[in-house]
Amino acid sequence: IIHNYLKDSRQFGQLMNKSKWCKISIFGNKANNRRRALLIRKPEFIKDVKQINIMSDFTLTPILMFRKNNFEIHHVMIVEIDNGINIGISLIYNKETKQVEATGIHIDKISLYRQHQWISLKHMDECKCFDNFKSSFNDLAIGNPDDQQNLIKNLKRDKIELQQQIKQLKKKLIRCD
């Protein structure tokens, strides 16, 4: 069902445009000591996935995921988002809406292998399903790469405004005495 849904370019476009990519969970192995991050704006992410990937020739690989204390079988589509950099987008078919939904973005090949091996014991030793998955980063953020810096600027500005208000209130208090 998912494969046929994605073959339709209109439905694939809807999936790409309607998914809340900035809020979708990103699954990876974040290192605490050193990270290689990829920060990408949502429109650029969507454009890259649409342009770089030829959707007529793709494979969906099943993985086991846990959601709301239940396990579910999701299907991962490996896509290239930059030259030689892949991610996996996990998908599930929603029977109520009759639409495919993106449920996660996977950036760690080893984790994908593990989740896939839970599906079938045949894939325990000689699985080649993710051999073409290439990634050189371990942290991904979709949205405005400058969000953190903008937040800091806004908080500093708010701090200055609050300090000025405190000074004005202190002056009023002194005049009242």
Side-chain angles (χ1 to χ4, degrees):
I1 294 176
I2 295 173
H3 199 273
N4 290 334
Y5 186 94
L6 295 176
K7 276 187 168 183
D8 181 328
S9 60
R10 185 183 57 77
Q11 289 178 323
F12 177 73
Q14 280 183 331
L15 172 69
M16 292 305 301
N17 294 327
K18 289 187 177 182
S19 295
K20 294 180 170 67
W21 296 109
C22 300
K23 295 182 180 185
I24 288 177
S25 298
I26 296 175
F27 300 97
N29 186 10
K30 286 187 181 181
N32 287 330
N33 296 328
R34 185 176 298 192
R35 291 187 187 164
R36 288 177 309 276
L38 176 62
L39 309 172
I40 187 168
R41 290 181 181 271
K42 179 183 170 185
E44 190 73 13
F45 173 81
I46 292 171
K47 183 183 83 165
D48 286 352
V49 172
K50 283 181 175 179
Q51 285 181 353
I52 295 173
N53 299 283
I54 301 166
M55 296 319 298
S56 61
D57 185 31
F58 64 93
T59 304
L60 293 172
T61 307
I63 62 170
L64 190 68
M65 288 189 64
F66 293 90
R67 191 162 79 162
K68 298 178 184 172
N69 296 325
N70 292 315
F71 68 89
E72 298 176 328
I73 295 175
H74 295 228
H75 292 83
V76 175
M77 174 178 58
I78 303 300
V79 295
E80 186 175 12
I81 58 169
D82 204 0
N83 189 17
I85 297 177
N86 300 116
I87 61 167
I89 299 176
S90 55
L91 306 162
I92 196 163
Y93 183 74
N94 184 328
K95 292 175 185 173
E96 293 173 14
T97 63
K98 295 185 173 147
Q99 292 184 336
V100 172
E101 297 173 356
T103 58
I105 298 172
H106 301 261
I107 59 176
D108 182 46
K109 183 177 187 174
I110 294 169
S111 296
L112 280 171
Y113 268 126
R114 284 189 195 125
Q115 290 173 288
H116 178 57
Q117 288 171 341
W118 290 337
I119 297 294
S120 173
L121 295 176
K122 296 176 190 175
H123 291 265
M124 288 302 283
D125 296 321
E126 305 226 5
C127 180
K128 304 224 183 280
C129 294
F130 293 105
D131 282 357
N132 293 332
F133 186 92
K134 294 174 183 77
S135 182
S136 58
F137 63 95
N138 57 6
D139 192 10
L140 174 68
I142 299 171
N144 184 350
D146 299 322
D147 270 349
Q148 296 295 324
Q149 200 60 36
N150 291 340
L151 179 62
I152 290 169
K153 284 181 190 176
N154 290 339
L155 290 172
K156 284 181 179 179
R157 186 190 67 234
D158 291 348
K159 177 185 171 192
I160 290 169
E161 288 176 8
L162 289 171
Q163 287 172 333
Q164 289 173 347
Q165 288 178 7
I166 290 171
K167 282 182 184 178
Q168 290 173 353
L169 290 172
K170 283 182 179 180
K171 285 181 184 178
K172 284 183 180 179
L173 277 174
I174 291 173
R175 283 190 226 142
C176 289
D177 288 341

